Amino acid sequence: MTTVETPTVTVAESPFLQAIVQQIRANDSYGTYRHWADELLLKPYILTKAEKREISVDGEVNLITQSRIMAFFRAVAYCIEQETGMLSQVVIDLSHEGFGWVLIFSGRLILVSKTLRDAQRFGFDSLEKLSAEGEKLVAKGIDLARQYPTICDL
Amino acid sequence: MTTVETPTVTVAESPFLQAIVQQIRANDSYGTYRHWADELLLKPYILTKAEKREISVDGEVNLITQSRIMAFFRAVAYCIEQETGMLSQVVIDLSHEGFGWVLIFSGRLILVSKTLRDAQRFGFDSLEKLSAEGEKLVAKGIDLARQYPTICDL
């Protein structure tokens, strides 16, 4: 029933999904995920509406969710860098109530600017949506970096 | 002996110091500081080298220090806004080790970009240094906002 079992996009086909996988594996110092398939690593990103509702937004965003959010936006930054050659930084300002800002910037230019709400429930309907959302942010970031290269060099 | 007792700049003379005081008073929901002099409110910002050394950088940045850092940068943002009319946001990404980023941005332009280190020890040698550091960030921010107004409108 869920779209996870029958994705219309595979990790192999999506450079953005590959970039997330790469981020997760890069942080896997103890080799916990060494034998895990890429799809399995991305599974926690896929949440149905019902699953989201079950996650409380009262408490703090737990560390696992925080690192999931970080891997997502680091993957966005990586893809923009690959295309433009411009180094970028990811900054996440998350309040204890799951509300916050994510910025990806290069020099003085903000390539990605996102507000987060209910970050405890960070997730996507399907692997396809995850990929599409990432690619959208990447495309916009590349566009801005190409339009204003001088601001990136400041 | 300390420069706090004999400041060469007073709060009344420094728009930046006034802006910090305003931030502190704005967050003083219970009126705790109502009868405190401005200089007293700013006193925790002034730390001698010896006082800084006494503060451990091992633990997390405590909430009082965090709000002190926030008030400082909100004051910077406020002063830039006053001068340029451009609304800006302050984002602080502080790791548990006292290392992090502060960004003040308007639209897609970063007006202030600072890395923090040993944020547990956030402080200045004197009221004059506090004022000068703030004014420097404000001046640079105003300069950037005026140079690239189109990026602020993105």
Side-chain angles (χ1 to χ4, degrees):
Chain A
M1 207 201 102
T2 64
T3 37
V4 187
E5 267 78 55
T6 55
T8 50
V9 62
T10 64
V11 176
E13 287 164 355
S14 161
F16 177 70
L17 295 182
Q18 284 169 39
I20 302 185
V21 168
Q22 196 180 15
Q23 287 298 323
I24 298 170
R25 296 205 188 276
N27 288 317
D28 182 27
S29 326
Y30 299 106
T32 317
Y33 305 133
R34 202 168 30 196
H35 301 296
W36 289 36
D38 291 347
E39 278 75 11
L40 199 56
L41 287 182
L42 295 179
K43 221 177 163 184
Y45 282 96
I46 315 303
L47 294 173
T48 62
K49 279 214 174 72
E51 284 168 333
K52 282 189 183 179
R53 263 196 305 271
E54 274 167 35
I55 301 168
S56 162
V57 291
D58 284 339
E60 262 187 71
V61 183
N62 67 47
L63 287 175
I64 294 172
T65 307
Q66 281 187 35
S67 69
R68 196 174 297 140
I69 296 170
M70 195 40 140
F72 176 88
F73 287 102
R74 283 233 176 100
V76 172
Y78 174 83
C79 292
I80 297 172
E81 272 177 28
Q82 285 295 99
E83 199 65 28
T84 63
M86 278 157 185
L87 288 180
S88 59
Q89 280 282 342
V90 182
V91 156
I92 301 186
D93 180 354
L94 215 53
S95 81
H96 295 296
E97 294 85 35
F99 179 85
W101 279 97
V102 182
L103 299 177
I104 301 176
F105 63 100
S106 180
R108 291 279 176 170
L109 187 67
I110 295 174
L111 303 169
V112 173
S113 166
K114 279 284 275 180
T115 47
L116 293 177
R117 253 170 192 247
D118 296 345
Q120 295 92 339
R121 297 175 176 169
F122 187 81
F124 302 83
D125 293 344
S126 64
L127 214 52
E128 198 181 18
K129 286 261 175 70
L130 169 62
S131 177
E133 177 67 15
E135 297 286 1
K136 201 179 75 186
L137 295 174
V138 170
K140 169 92 178 166
I142 291 172
D143 194 42
L144 282 165
R146 289 200 175 136
Q147 235 180 312
Y148 306 104
T150 49
I151 316 290
C152 294
D153 285 333
L154 285 180
Chain B
M1 204 201 104
T2 64
T3 37
V4 188
E5 267 79 55
T6 54
T8 51
V9 62
T10 63
V11 177
E13 287 164 356
S14 161
F16 178 70
L17 294 182
Q18 283 170 36
I20 303 186
V21 167
Q22 195 180 17
Q23 288 297 325
I24 298 169
R25 296 205 187 275
N27 290 316
D28 182 28
S29 327
Y30 299 107
T32 317
Y33 304 133
R34 204 169 27 196
H35 301 297
W36 290 35
D38 291 347
E39 278 74 11
L40 198 57
L41 288 181
L42 295 178
K43 219 177 166 188
Y45 283 96
I46 314 305
L47 293 174
T48 63
K49 280 215 174 73
E51 284 169 333
K52 282 190 182 177
R53 264 196 304 271
E54 274 167 34
I55 301 170
S56 163
V57 292
D58 285 340
E60 262 186 70
V61 183
N62 68 47
L63 287 175
I64 294 173
T65 307
Q66 281 187 34
S67 69
R68 195 173 300 140
I69 296 172
M70 194 39 138
F72 176 86
F73 287 100
R74 284 235 176 97
V76 173
Y78 173 82
C79 291
I80 297 173
E81 273 177 26
Q82 286 293 98
E83 199 65 26
T84 64
M86 278 157 185
L87 288 180
S88 59
Q89 281 283 340
V90 181
V91 157
I92 301 186
D93 179 354
L94 214 52
S95 81
H96 295 296
E97 294 84 36
F99 180 84
W101 279 95
V102 182
L103 300 177
I104 300 176
F105 63 101
S106 180
R108 292 278 178 171
L109 186 67
I110 295 174
L111 303 170
V112 173
S113 166
K114 279 283 274 180
T115 48
L116 292 178
R117 255 170 190 245
D118 297 344
Q120 296 92 338
R121 296 175 177 170
F122 187 81
F124 302 82
D125 292 342
S126 64
L127 214 53
E128 197 180 19
K129 285 261 175 69
L130 168 62
S131 177
E133 178 68 15
E135 297 286 2
K136 200 179 74 185
L137 295 173
V138 169
K140 169 93 177 166
I142 291 171
D143 195 42
L144 282 164
R146 289 201 174 135
Q147 234 180 316
Y148 307 105
T150 49
I151 317 291
C152 294
D153 285 333
L154 285 180

